[in-house]
Amino acid sequence: MAKRETITDSSSFLTAIQSVINDDYKEIVNTNYKLIETKNIGDTNKCSELEILSNLTNYSFTLDKIVSCACKSQIEPVNFLRKSTPYVNKKNDLIILCPSDKISLKLNVYIIELKSRNIGEASTQILAGKILVEYLMSLLKISFNFTNQPEIQYFGILASLSMKKPHIPSNISTIQYNFNKSSRNGLDIPILHWHADNKFYLRDLHSKIIANKNVNFP
């Protein structure tokens, strides 16, 4: 039996998470990452686009794309679930995992859903992303040793063209982030509504959540 590695800090935590996710689903979210929504998979016509300014340590991935395998057929990561079952086969656009500091096992998980104008099922897709990450964390507990219990905070980001477009101040340190609560059958997550035409300052939000400053939760 292989010896289980020990997770001691945020760096080894992110490395462990990467080890259980296929590289085909990894996203490189850096300073000027653009999340693009199209009408259908493979469609080149953009419905909406969100520019994410991160510039912080993170591991990001998406299940909202089709990956081709060596046999030249296309596979989907949750295709074993029946699409005919309401709300079961739901995927959000992007999941970003950011350490709260360098030494602990604390992560902030940002689950992003980008829509043009129809936001009807967006909160369900964000909740599905939270359930997925919780499942991955359970897998890690089987595969790795932890020096401490991981602490995970989940935040949903719903970006859409249907939102009221607020004024973004030139000094982003003054931005206030107001979250709403989405709940379903005991599952809940705070969700921030954001206009898709405005740049999304992930690093600013992340630092303010850690400092408990300029962030309002329900």
Side-chain angles (χ1 to χ4, degrees):
M1 181 179 294
K3 183 179 179 181
R4 298 199 303 175
E5 295 182 31
T6 299
I7 298 175
T8 60
D9 53 25
S10 61
S11 178
S12 56
F13 199 3
L14 288 188
T15 299
I17 293 169
Q18 293 181 58
S19 72
V20 301
I21 299 176
N22 192 312
D23 288 341
D24 290 331
Y25 297 97
K26 181 178 180 179
E27 292 291 296
I28 308 298
V29 178
N30 48 30
T31 304
N32 293 299
Y33 175 87
K34 291 186 178 180
L35 180 62
I36 299 174
E37 183 205 27
T38 58
K39 292 180 180 178
N40 297 292
I41 294 176
D43 192 346
T44 57
N45 296 316
K46 292 186 293 185
C47 292
S48 56
E49 177 179 300
L50 177 66
E51 184 175 357
I52 301 173
L53 305 181
S54 62
N55 192 25
L56 78 173
T57 300
N58 71 85
Y59 174 70
S60 304
F61 66 98
T62 178
L63 299 187
D64 197 26
K65 66 181 177 182
I66 291 178
V67 175
S68 296
C69 64
C71 59
K72 296 185 179 179
S73 61
Q74 292 181 323
I75 57 174
E76 291 189 75
V78 292
N79 206 34
F80 65 96
L81 300 176
R82 292 184 182 273
K83 290 187 176 182
S84 59
T85 306
Y87 304 113
V88 167
N89 200 333
K90 291 297 178 186
K91 296 169 288 190
N92 66 282
D93 290 320
L94 183 67
I95 296 176
I96 305 176
L97 301 100
C98 301
S100 296
D101 57 50
K102 293 182 179 180
I103 59 174
S104 68
L105 296 180
K106 296 181 180 179
L107 284 183
N108 285 358
V109 177
Y110 301 99
I111 303 170
I112 302 179
E113 182 62 29
L114 175 61
K115 297 290 187 183
S116 50
R117 297 191 180 278
N118 183 6
I119 63 172
E121 296 186 357
S123 60
T124 302
Q125 291 170 276
I126 290 173
L127 281 171
K130 178 182 178 182
I131 292 170
L132 171 66
V133 175
E134 289 176 340
Y135 170 67
L136 291 174
M137 295 305 152
S138 297
L139 289 179
L140 291 180
K141 290 178 182 178
I142 295 174
S143 303
F144 296 86
N145 293 313
F146 288 83
T147 55
N148 291 294
Q149 184 69 17
E151 296 182 32
I152 315 294
Q153 292 191 94
Y154 297 90
F155 306 93
I157 312 296
L158 171 54
S160 170
L161 295 173
S162 67
M163 305 296 180
K164 181 179 179 181
K165 189 173 183 180
H167 169 68
I168 300 297
S170 56
N171 183 359
I172 64 171
S173 65
T174 63
I175 295 177
Q176 293 275 346
Y177 298 97
N178 300 308
F179 283 79
N180 300 298
K181 186 176 182 179
S182 178
S183 301
R184 176 172 295 182
N185 295 329
L187 298 170
D188 60 77
I189 189 171
I191 296 181
L192 174 69
H193 289 180
W194 194 262
H195 198 284
D197 278 349
N198 283 338
K199 294 178 180 179
F200 181 59
Y201 301 95
L202 178 61
R203 181 175 182 175
D204 181 63
L205 172 62
H206 183 62
S207 63
K208 285 177 178 175
I209 288 175
I210 293 173
N212 193 25
K213 178 182 178 182
N214 287 18
V215 181
N216 300 309
F217 294 109

